[in-house]
Amino acid sequence: MKKVFISQPMNGLSDLQIEKDKTRVIKKLYIEGYKPDEITIIDSFIEENAPDNVNSGLWYLGKSLELLAGADIVVFAKGWRKARGCLIEFKCANEYGISYICED
């Protein structure tokens, strides 16, 4: 079973927009030949709120990197090249040898 992490822009988007894009990426994986019983999607949506006394962007990125560490494959969703967190996740995947797929 391959574990798939989806790196997607989230800043400024509603929960519904984030979920819609994630669903689109998952459907695309199935179309491209990944079978539902062969992959597990890592839920990278962090519902917990960052503490008041921290840089919230870095806090969420840290949580995201913890999840990324368990991935076999990363899918970088549309718009990832314009999102700081996604760019850092790309650098980490590349540097640590995690396979990836880029939408754009």
Side-chain angles (χ1 to χ4, degrees):
M1 178 85 52
K2 297 264 186 195
K3 293 176 279 181
V4 179
F5 179 91
I6 299 171
S7 178
Q8 64 185 115
M10 293 185 186
N11 190 23
L13 299 176
S14 71
D15 292 355
L16 181 60
Q17 290 170 305
I18 293 166
E19 190 59 37
K20 268 180 86 173
D21 196 40
K22 180 173 126 181
T23 300
R24 181 191 57 74
V25 170
I26 294 168
K27 285 180 183 177
K28 187 174 180 181
L29 284 170
Y30 296 156
I31 289 168
E32 290 181 4
Y34 289 90
K35 296 181 178 143
D37 60 340
E38 296 175 346
I39 61 173
T40 299
I41 305 299
I42 296 171
D43 185 4
S44 61
F45 186 79
I46 301 161
E47 294 190 33
E48 185 180 353
N49 291 322
D52 291 334
N53 59 343
V54 301
N55 179 309
S56 63
L58 284 174
W59 187 86
Y60 286 111
L61 179 60
K63 295 287 187 185
S64 179
L65 292 176
E66 286 181 29
L67 297 169
L68 175 61
D72 298 305
I73 303 168
V74 183
V75 178
F76 291 93
K78 289 181 183 178
W80 74 270
R81 293 181 194 272
K82 295 178 183 169
R84 292 176 300 181
C86 294
L87 289 168
I88 292 168
E89 290 165 352
F90 178 79
K91 176 89 170 148
C92 291
N94 197 29
E95 291 291 325
Y96 288 90
I98 301 172
S99 298
Y100 56 86
I101 300 166
C102 299
E103 285 200 313
D104 60 320

